[in-house]
Amino acid sequence: MFRLPNPLEGVTDAELCSEEFAQKQDEKDALSRFRHEFIIPTKGDLRNKKYGPYRKQEVEFGNDAIEDDNDEESIYLCGNSLGLQPRRTREYVARYLDTWASKGVFGHFKSLEGGHPPWLHLDEALKDQTSKIVGALPSEVVVMETLTANLHLLMSSFYRPTLERYRIIIEGKAFPSDHYAVESQLVHHNIPTSALITIEPSSSSSPYLSTEHILSVISQHAASTALVLLPGIQFYSGQLLDIELITRHCRSLDIIVGWDLAHAVGNVPLKLHDWNVDFAAWCNYKYMNSGPGVIGGLFVHDRHGGVETADDPLASQSGNPTNGSDGKLVYRPRLSGWWGSDKSSRFDMENKFVPIPGASGFQLSNPSALDMTSVQASLDIFAMTDMNALRQRSLRLTAYLEARLLRYGNGTPPYKIITPVNPRERGAQLSLLLNPGLLDHVLTYIEERGVVVDERKPDVLRVAPAPLYNSFWDIHRFIVVFQEACRRAVAETNDKADSA
Ligand SMILES: Cc1ncc(COP(=O)(O)O)c(C=O)c1O
């Protein structure tokens, strides 16, 4: 198997595990500067029982023994769940609030000196930057609604079951929301849920899904399958799927393929247009750092976004399967709303839906300007670099995390990394399967010491160095606390077993 070059080749163990090594890596990496764009909570902030930042005089904590480090930055490795807040978000949001306060409804329409674009045009303002992150044409993306809602909207357009082709293929450990969404689509179309095919790992001891295995399951059910919906990066294992190859395979079998990019967007470079993906959706609160539950995004390939008039000779070749309500326009069917309708006639209130060509024509409601503002703040940081440069940094950070996890003093670690070892098959995140019974002990210990990672019961910790703000120094500090937590957890559980 072809491997990416190992950025840590030739480094001795002693060197690798030293504080100096981590500090030097941060100093020599030009992208380290982006960390200053983010608010890194201090350990005191996390321990503070009141909301907001901790101030020494005001706050009482619970555990005096470990609170002399309240002013230190926490070790936040949880961008796979919720990205940290960019410093500029507060400024952008304040500008939005000031506009609303001072202009009211005119904020929708008026261009204001030093302000953001009128809210009416915010959806367009975000397209260029978003398209660069997912590798699309600006017309193929739109920031709208939220991830699960967008998957439903996209399936309402792309899942067109027939008597012969009605199955949906997902992976067995799909994020529950995707599972529910797909199952409810089947029910919605009066199709038994047995039409759902799940791709299960070949081995019960590993969540790994080889590309060959994925392709073979798809081939096996191709004759009766209408839709394949897969994650770009699997949320539990952190495995990055071969989006290009799987998409090509589905298309060769005439199967529509959609991608849930929750864990891939802002994490790995994507080329949705060139890879010929039919559709995709994502959220903006993980590696996109735009805030909890914030507005999401979607992609519809150019070939599906056309809007033609019925007498246009090109219309019959467009591949768009049906026409609009008045029979004069030909476009992909969809569940529609007024924000997807042509801007020039949107306010005429004539009940004629004229879809905007491209992804924008899939919009329903006027988007939350507050959410869009928050996404804009984050995109402006991404615009100072690009996904290829971030990926290079991410490969170095994750390789370093992996190398440190694999060095556990003289003993065998009480955990194993279940994310693929090949960097081509993973993004930033490594998932650690702890030996049974250790997770709660380990989590309590590390959380008390200002480490933030996330858990997947019963035994998995997900650790994700986000390339925009995490540092080698974060990883070094994480390893010191985490491995000590493991040693203590093993000792405690052994003691308990001995005294039982
Ligand atoms: C892979 C994946 N899909 C779907 C979702 C659901 O997202 P939302 O709640 O924004 O619809 C999540 C949420 O974390 C996720 O990780």
Side-chain angles (χ1 to χ4, degrees):
M1 191 189 321
F2 178 77
R3 291 268 168 88
L4 293 171
N6 180 355
L8 300 171
E9 219 157 66
V11 182
T12 66
D13 278 13
E15 220 184 311
L16 185 86
C17 298
S18 66
E19 287 188 3
E20 295 73 38
F21 181 82
Q23 285 162 342
K24 242 187 227 150
Q25 299 308 303
D26 286 327
E27 277 163 27
K28 71 181 192 195
D29 191 332
L31 298 190
S32 298
R33 69 184 189 281
F34 289 116
R35 182 176 176 89
H36 305 298
E37 290 283 340
F38 291 85
I39 301 172
I40 314 287
T42 64
K43 293 181 180 179
D45 290 342
L46 295 180
R47 291 171 187 148
N48 188 354
K49 293 192 182 109
K50 293 186 190 165
Y51 96 93
Y54 127 89
R55 284 181 201 85
K56 224 176 226 159
Q57 320 77 325
E58 293 176 6
V59 184
E60 279 175 35
F61 297 107
N63 187 346
D64 294 338
I66 51 170
E67 278 164 14
D68 54 354
D69 59 357
N70 280 325
D71 292 325
E72 257 178 45
E73 284 176 343
S74 65
I75 304 164
Y76 192 90
L77 293 163
C78 208
N80 58 308
S81 179
L82 179 67
L84 286 179
Q85 186 183 126
R87 290 187 187 283
R88 63 183 64 212
T89 303
R90 186 178 292 269
E91 178 202 325
Y92 284 42
V93 168
R95 222 183 298 162
Y96 150 81
L97 288 172
D98 288 344
T99 305
W100 178 24
S102 60
K103 299 288 185 286
V105 72
F106 294 124
H108 276 302
F109 312 107
K110 285 200 171 161
S111 288
L112 299 165
E113 274 172 42
H116 295 298
W119 300 325
L120 183 61
H121 301 305
L122 274 178
D123 51 346
E124 278 162 42
L126 301 189
K127 272 174 179 290
D128 271 359
Q129 290 178 11
T130 303
S131 68
K132 285 184 189 134
I133 287 170
V134 298
L137 304 173
S139 60
E140 290 174 320
V141 296
V142 66
V143 173
M144 61 178 268
E145 310 296 335
T146 48
L147 175 50
T148 308
N150 283 335
L151 287 175
H152 270 302
L153 290 172
L154 288 162
M155 283 193 276
S156 81
S157 180
F158 284 91
Y159 176 52
R160 322 290 304 170
T162 63
L163 277 180
E164 293 76 35
R165 286 192 162 210
Y166 53 92
R167 291 192 194 283
I168 304 181
I169 301 180
I170 60 174
E171 38 112 20
K173 269 209 173 241
F175 193 82
S177 201
D178 295 28
H179 195 106
Y180 306 148
V182 162
E183 227 170 36
S184 61
Q185 284 283 332
L186 291 169
V187 172
H188 180 68
H189 286 277
N190 290 321
I191 293 171
T193 52
S194 56
L196 180 62
I197 303 293
T198 56
I199 306 174
E200 305 295 341
S202 315
S203 149
S204 60
S205 63
S206 159
Y208 182 65
L209 297 168
S210 73
T211 305
E212 298 72 45
H213 178 55
I214 296 172
L215 299 187
S216 84
V217 175
I218 294 171
S219 297
Q220 191 191 335
H221 297 282
S224 55
T225 296
L227 173 70
V228 170
L229 180 70
L230 289 172
I233 290 184
Q234 214 286 341
F235 78 96
Y236 176 81
S237 69
Q239 182 184 348
L240 168 60
L241 301 193
D242 190 334
I243 301 176
E244 180 177 18
L245 188 57
I246 296 168
T247 299
R248 196 181 318 135
H249 186 68
C250 290
R251 286 185 42 76
S252 75
L253 297 168
D254 222 5
I255 301 172
I256 290 278
V257 58
W259 293 91
D260 172 342
L261 300 178
H263 291 260
V265 66
N267 179 3
V268 291
L270 298 163
K271 293 185 181 172
L272 300 184
H273 177 84
D274 291 351
W275 294 340
N276 264 316
V277 162
D278 287 303
F279 71 84
W282 56 89
C283 53
N284 281 311
Y285 46 77
K286 298 179 184 287
Y287 297 95
M288 293 305 298
N289 310 315
S290 305
V294 77
I295 196 163
L298 64 76
F299 165 90
V300 174
H301 198 280
D302 210 20
R303 66 178 175 278
H304 296 301
V307 179
E308 287 104 15
T309 48
D311 46 10
D312 180 340
L314 289 178
S316 59
Q317 300 162 23
S318 70
N320 288 324
T322 194
N323 56 351
S325 55
D326 63 0
K328 290 202 178 113
L329 289 176
V330 180
Y331 56 87
R332 242 200 120 72
R334 65 198 66 182
L335 294 180
S336 308
W338 74 316
W339 224 251
S341 196
D342 179 46
K343 261 187 194 173
S344 63
S345 55
R346 187 185 283 159
F347 291 94
D348 294 351
M349 307 295 166
E350 283 182 347
N351 291 339
K352 272 193 195 140
F353 181 65
V354 180
I356 303 171
S360 288
F362 286 75
Q363 292 175 101
L364 296 187
S365 300
N366 78 101
S368 155
L370 176 56
D371 280 32
M372 301 292 258
T373 302
S374 186
V375 174
Q376 180 73 70
S378 166
L379 287 172
D380 283 353
I381 298 175
F382 277 93
M384 292 188 267
T385 177
D386 64 61
M387 284 310 303
N388 290 326
L390 280 177
R391 173 65 166 161
Q392 290 311 311
R393 176 173 162 81
S394 178
L395 287 168
R396 290 192 290 274
L397 283 165
T398 301
Y400 174 63
L401 172 62
E402 179 184 45
R404 293 295 307 268
L405 284 165
L406 295 175
R407 285 161 182 79
Y408 189 73
N410 296 325
T412 310
Y415 53 81
K416 76 174 190 195
I417 304 171
I418 56 170
T419 306
V421 282
N422 183 353
R424 284 185 186 281
E425 292 187 291
R426 67 188 188 202
Q429 170 190 326
L430 294 183
S431 300
L432 314 180
L433 178 67
L434 270 60
N435 289 354
L438 299 185
L439 185 76
D440 287 342
H441 296 278
V442 169
L443 259 185
T444 306
Y445 184 88
I446 64 178
E447 280 181 10
E448 281 180 347
R449 282 150 189 86
V451 171
V452 186
V453 290
D454 86 353
E455 58 170 324
R456 289 286 145 176
K457 295 267 186 204
D459 296 313
V460 167
L461 278 186
R462 302 186 301 174
V463 186
L468 268 177
Y469 52 77
N470 281 123
S471 61
F472 289 84
W473 180 238
D474 282 340
I475 294 170
H476 173 81
R477 293 187 301 149
F478 165 72
I479 291 290
V480 171
V481 178
F482 170 66
Q483 293 190 336
E484 179 58 21
C486 288
R487 283 184 201 100
R488 286 172 182 246
V490 169
E492 267 176 56
T493 44
N494 286 348
D495 283 354
K496 254 192 213 148
D498 288 348
S499 59

